[in-house]
Amino acid sequence: MENKHFAVALDGPSGAGKSTLAKETARALHIMYVDTGAIYRAVGLYALRCGVDPHDEAAVSAMLPEVKVSMTHADDGTQRMYLNGEDVSEAIRLPEVSMYASAVSALASVRAFLLEMQRSLAREHSVVMDGRDIGTVVLPDAEVKIFLTADDEVRARRRFLELEQRGTPKPFDEVLAEQKERDWNDTHRDVAPLRQADDAVVVDTSALDFEQSRALILKTIREKLGI
């Protein structure tokens, strides 16, 4: 398997479990995990810190030359995100950054700014890459495309528990409302909206626990690749 170069595109809405499942899938396959959402979150964090309106494309575009996003991977596959040399792996997960990330990711200039970075990783390594438009825009020729989803309330409940565990709790109704807003923004934006690639395999994790979801994704990948 180590000699076979391939890319797995894992798309889906917020709260579907993409990041955790993609990370564990990459670990099982002994390949690189790329969390593209974290890359956009880093840009969103910079906009937040600079007081830039994330919906103002001219203002966001003007700040992009000041942004240097990079990542490292530990031996266990853990991805660490850096913004202008600062480790922001925790900071980008704050609730306020989520909305900024969603807004800047809808801007054509931001997507163009980060597109080559993402594609170069897939050229240089076998990857599991998760996001909103990996199978449709970033890696349209990926050998395996999976669209991961779950019911609205299931996804919101996962996010609610995640925020509690991080010490930044929010009422469930607020988490659900924010998720629905983000879903609408992600699916209705003009540039690279969230949608299922025509040749993607749909995996619904609503009724599955983590291990069941992980096993189903690995089975799908191995069947597609014949490994």
Side-chain angles (χ1 to χ4, degrees):
M1 191 184 306
E2 287 79 1
N3 297 323
K4 186 179 181 72
H5 187 95
F6 62 92
V8 177
L10 187 61
D11 291 307
S14 175
K18 295 188 305 297
S19 296
T20 306
L21 286 166
K23 183 191 304 181
E24 292 305 315
T25 298
R27 192 198 307 272
L29 296 171
H30 305 291
I31 62 175
M32 179 181 283
Y33 162 56
V34 181
D35 176 2
T36 63
I39 301 173
Y40 285 99
R41 282 174 175 271
V43 176
L45 175 62
Y46 192 74
L48 175 63
R49 287 178 170 179
C50 292
V52 171
D53 179 351
H55 300 93
D56 184 340
E57 183 154 16
V60 173
S61 297
M63 78 174 200
L64 289 178
E66 306 165 8
V67 177
K68 180 174 175 54
V69 179
S70 59
M71 67 178 69
T72 62
H73 290 81
D75 291 339
D76 65 357
T78 302
Q79 176 179 289
R80 305 296 297 181
M81 292 302 305
Y82 293 84
L83 174 61
N84 295 339
E86 175 193 353
D87 187 338
V88 293
S89 304
E90 280 71 45
I92 60 173
R93 299 299 172 183
L94 295 172
E96 57 268 30
V97 177
S98 296
M99 301 310 290
Y100 267 73
S102 182
V104 300
S105 69
L107 304 179
S109 57
V110 175
R111 303 201 75 84
F113 178 70
L114 298 175
L115 183 60
E116 178 53 29
M117 173 187 178
Q118 297 169 75
R119 286 180 172 170
S120 66
L121 289 169
R123 284 196 298 267
E124 295 164 8
H125 311 273
S126 286
V127 298
V128 177
M129 190 176 292
D130 76 310
R132 301 291 194 279
D133 65 341
I134 309 304
T136 55
V137 177
V138 180
L139 302 178
D141 297 322
E143 286 78 5
V144 183
K145 299 178 186 178
I146 294 173
F147 191 83
L148 192 68
T149 189
D151 293 341
D152 288 354
E153 294 212 355
V154 171
R155 292 189 288 118
R157 179 64 59 183
R158 291 171 181 168
R159 178 63 172 162
F160 172 77
L161 294 173
E162 178 186 5
L163 292 173
E164 275 196 336
Q165 291 167 359
R166 287 183 180 160
T168 56
K170 280 189 173 186
F172 176 75
D173 289 347
E174 186 176 342
V175 174
L176 180 59
E178 287 183 352
Q179 177 187 276
K180 288 183 176 179
E181 179 183 355
R182 188 167 188 186
D183 285 350
W184 196 94
N185 290 339
D186 287 344
T187 55
H188 289 78
R189 64 192 183 200
D190 293 332
V191 180
L194 168 65
R195 66 176 179 83
Q196 176 190 332
D198 292 338
D199 52 348
V201 176
V202 177
V203 174
D204 190 325
T205 65
S206 300
L208 303 179
D209 62 22
F210 176 78
E211 284 303 324
Q212 291 170 326
S213 300
R214 176 178 175 272
L216 180 54
I217 289 172
L218 283 170
K219 179 175 180 287
T220 300
I221 293 170
R222 287 172 171 144
E223 287 178 349
K224 283 283 186 180
L225 296 175
I227 58 177

